[in-house]
Structures are given as C-alpha cells and as structure tokens.
Amino acid sequence: MLAKSSTELVRQQNSALVLSALRRRGPIAHTEIADATGLASGTISAITNELEAGGIIEKIEQQPPSGRGRPRVLFSPRRSCGYVITISISSDAVQYSLVDYAGTLLDRFSEPREQGGPSAFVASLSTAINRVLQRSRISADNVMLVSISSKGLVHRTEPVLTWSPVYGSDAIDFAQALAKDWSAKVILNNETLLVASALLERETRTPASGGAAVAALSLGHSIGLGIGRAGATGGREVSAPNFGHMLHVPNGAVCRCGSRGCVEAYAGFYAILRTAFEVPIDTVPAKFVPLNEIDKIAGHARQANRNAKFAFRQAGVAIGNGLSRLLSLHGHMPVVITGPGVRYYDLLEEGLREGLAESHSVRLGGMPELRVMTDEQSLLFEGHLSYAFSLLDQTVSGSRERRKAGSL
C-alpha cells in the first residue's frame, strides 16, 4: 500500500509539472516538455496520453513553414476542460473575471461594493457569479474554482476572512456562505499576497543564482504588504504580514482596527485626511474615504499648503519606518509600490526615504530599490491565476478516472 501511494504521488507530481510547463511556455512539443521538466521521454508520453484521454490537454498539429514533412505535434491545456472565476474585493468595488482552463480571460466586469452587512455582501457575490455564467452561457457544474481576494486578515488554511477594514471582526466564511449555491471549491487569499506572488513570478522567470526576493507595498485606504522569496532550488514562499497594523507610534492615533498608533493610522487615506484637517488623533476614522477627497488634499499639498504637505510627509515617514523594520528582519530586497496611493508618490517619497534612512540596516546596506507600478489590478489577476491553476493542476492530475471535460 505504501509503495502504491508513493507511486501515485510521484505520478501526480509529474503530471502537475507537465501542466505547469504547458502554462508557462504555451503550446509546446514533447522535447520542450522534457527540457522544461527534466522528465524522461517515456514518462512524458505516458502523462500526456493520460491527460489527453481525460480531456485535460489537447494536441495541436503545426505544419512546417515549408509545407513539407510531418507536422509538429504540440500540447496545450484544453480550454473547455473547466473554468475559474476570480473575485477581487476592494474598498468600494468588486471585480469579477471568468477564465478558461488555458488561462484565457473570457469576461470581466465590476460592480459597486454592497454596503450592507456580511450576509448582504455574500448574497451580492452569489448573484454576481450567476451573472458571470449567464453572460457566458456556462454551466455552474463546469466551474472548477472560485478564487477570492481581499484586504484584511485571512485564515491560514480556510477561505475565511477573519478581519477586514469594512466588517472588522465579523468573520466571513466564503466556502460556507456560497455552499448552498455553488459546488465549486472556494479559495481566499490576501490581496497583497497575490500581488507579491505575481511579482515574484516575474522576478524569477529568468533564473538567477541564489534565488530572489521582492516586497509588494500597496498604498490606499488600507496599507498592505506581501513578501515573496524564491530559493536557488526553485522553492517559493509568499506571505502577507500584518504590516498596516504594525505599531508605529505607541499610544498614537486611533486606527480602523481599534488599536492606536498603527502604520495605517498615519499612512492610510483616512489618516492623511485626518492629519490635513487637524482632526484629533482619537477620532474614530471613517471606513472609507472617497478618492476625490484625497485628490483635493494632494492638490493643496502640491500648491505648498502646509497642513496638506505635512499629512503626506507624515504618511511617508510611517511607511518608511515600517519598511525599515521589514529590511532589518528579512534583509534587503526590492520594494514595489502599488495601489491607488501611488498617484501621490511624489508627495510621499521624501518622508518615506527619511523613515527608511533611520534604520541601522539601511545606513549600512544602503537604500533599497524602490519601484512604482501603477497597474496593481494586473498583478492581482496574475496572482489569482497562479494560485488557482497551481491548485487545480495538482487536483486534476491526481484523478485517474477523469474522463469528462469540465468535471472535477
């Protein structure tokens, strides 16, 4: 029994390797699969035959450019094998995307975020998922996975949002809440963790000796951080420490989480508004601040308004101090700054660098590389697909009896 289990596990891992190679490199031939995976030719033949018979991959015949000779046989994931729905939850909107098994985006739309309690919010998600399927005329049975992302604290093993800026400690179990309408597996990840995962994927496409590390810092209503590390042997680790609610000033300004002195209480949008208008630091912050209000403060700051400039500088210092602790604990790495707050980076940068420079590790090792990327949504979507298909490829390749496309 142990030998059988071990053999089955190896077969499943090898199948997942083949599927991963097909995703990363597009339609490729038998020899290219061998180059990408290191598997023996006979093993690849057995795996591709089984995956093709199960409706998981398909063959494509590519004619030679000269028109003579035998066609080249390429393999790729079968698009109709099944579908993934991604749900990206932000402070004021929710974006829904439908993707086929080959990773092709089929549909996408956004809706304003439901302003009621958790029950009303989950009901709106279920309604929107139905709308996704109706628009594309796809059966619910063919949805293999629903991948959700949100700011806040996510349970380590279950799709449960344990704390969020909008609902506080009112936990949401997405799998349980959607179970009555959906049989597809539901996963939940912290938004910035997925962004860091996508950045790490980009960093490691060209292998470098010694591995790579990158941090993703998301600026906006909330302050999020993701850390991605890749080892020299190919292993990867991505995490999302609770950066925004790390202590910045003891007994300082009140944060949305209920604590005092958090980084976010000085650097989030509500904190910038509070400082600019000299609102007392013990005032309970608003759950959401319209972006146009921060735009107005930024306009005043760029016109040299003292309070407005100070609000952004103080936010920058808080972020810089937080990043200095990150580097002290995890070592130097590039920091990629994303999120809606990057539109104010010119106002934040001086304070951010000042906060970083106060760190002993920065004084010794120098200022880390700071990059600004404006398209956080593209990174988030890449992270969704990376996690979703990594999980699906392991699951699908583990089923010998799979014969019907679209079932899991």
Side-chain angles (χ1 to χ4, degrees), residues 1-307:
M1 289 294 292
L2 287 176
K4 266 189 178 180
S5 297
S6 177
T7 301
E8 177 67 17
L9 179 60
V10 170
R11 186 202 65 79
Q12 182 177 340
Q13 290 172 339
N14 288 342
S15 296
L17 277 176
V18 170
L19 286 168
S20 177
L22 297 184
R23 293 193 186 284
R24 289 171 181 269
R25 301 179 60 175
I28 54 176
H30 187 287
T31 54
E32 293 168 312
I33 297 173
D35 291 339
T37 63
L39 297 174
S41 177
T43 301
I44 293 171
S45 294
I47 290 172
T48 53
N49 287 338
E50 182 178 90
L51 293 177
E52 185 185 9
I56 300 167
I57 66 172
E58 60 187 357
K59 286 181 183 177
I60 303 169
E61 290 192 351
Q62 185 182 68
Q63 295 296 329
S66 64
R68 297 181 178 181
R70 297 174 61 184
R72 190 165 177 248
V73 177
L74 307 178
F75 297 92
S76 66
R78 186 181 179 192
R79 294 183 59 182
S80 61
C81 177
Y83 301 89
V84 171
I85 294 174
T86 71
I87 303 175
S88 302
I89 302 168
S90 65
S91 298
D92 59 341
V94 183
Q95 184 184 83
Y96 301 87
S97 300
L98 176 68
V99 182
D100 65 26
Y101 190 64
T104 307
L105 177 64
L106 302 176
D107 190 19
R108 170 176 289 165
F109 63 86
S110 295
E111 293 184 342
R113 179 166 178 162
E114 168 63 48
Q115 297 302 307
S119 297
F121 175 62
V122 171
S124 72
L125 295 186
S126 186
T127 299
I129 294 173
N130 271 311
R131 184 182 168 201
V132 171
L133 300 184
Q134 289 168 2
R135 283 162 59 109
S136 300
R137 298 180 180 179
I138 291 171
S139 167
D141 293 337
N142 286 336
V143 177
M144 306 169 82
L145 188 76
V146 177
S147 177
I148 304 173
S149 65
S150 174
K151 288 279 175 60
L153 299 181
V154 175
H155 191 279
R156 289 183 62 188
T157 58
E158 301 296 329
V160 178
L161 188 63
T162 57
W163 183 89
S164 63
V166 175
Y167 300 119
S169 297
D170 290 338
I172 301 177
D173 184 333
F174 287 99
Q176 184 180 48
L178 296 174
K180 62 180 181 179
D181 297 315
W182 300 98
S183 59
K185 182 176 178 62
V186 177
I187 61 172
L188 171 70
N189 281 293
N190 176 277
E191 177 182 292
T192 318
L193 180 144
L194 294 181
V195 172
S197 176
L199 286 169
L200 182 63
E201 175 72 21
R202 292 186 182 187
E203 293 280 323
T204 55
R205 277 175 187 163
T206 303
S209 59
V214 64
L217 175 69
S218 180
L219 306 181
H221 304 284
S222 302
I223 306 297
L225 181 79
I227 304 172
R229 287 186 174 279
T233 58
R236 297 185 182 188
E237 180 181 345
V238 186
S239 60
N242 199 11
F243 179 86
H245 301 283
M246 186 167 62
L247 182 63
H248 174 55
V249 176
N251 200 35
V254 174
C255 180
R256 285 191 299 184
C257 72
S259 300
R260 300 183 72 100
C262 298
V263 170
E264 187 180 297
Y266 290 86
F269 282 171
Y270 66 87
I272 291 171
L273 183 146
R274 180 165 55 189
T275 302
F277 288 99
E278 299 183 286
V279 176
I281 63 171
D282 58 355
T283 302
V284 177
K287 289 185 177 181
F288 176 74
V289 178
L291 197 59
N292 65 341
E293 292 297 324
I294 308 301
D295 283 342
K296 291 177 185 177
I297 298 171
H300 293 319
R302 293 182 179 116
Q303 294 171 5
N305 177 277
R306 183 177 177 181
N307 283 355

Side-chain angles (χ1 to χ4, degrees), residues 217 243 246-249 263 266-267 312-328 332 335 345 347-364 366-368 370:
L217 175 69
F243 179 86
M246 186 167 62
L247 182 63
H248 174 55
V249 176
V263 170
Y266 290 86
F312 283 101
R313 183 182 181 87
Q314 179 172 258
V317 170
I319 294 165
N321 283 166
L323 288 177
S324 72
R325 297 186 184 100
L326 164 73
L327 301 181
S328 296
H332 265 53
V335 178
Y345 186 68
L347 300 170
L348 296 166
E349 183 177 13
E350 185 178 354
L352 192 156
R353 290 182 178 275
E354 178 185 322
L356 271 167
E358 294 176 359
S359 165
H360 180 65
S361 65
V362 171
R363 291 201 302 271
L364 289 178
M367 193 68 63
L370 301 174

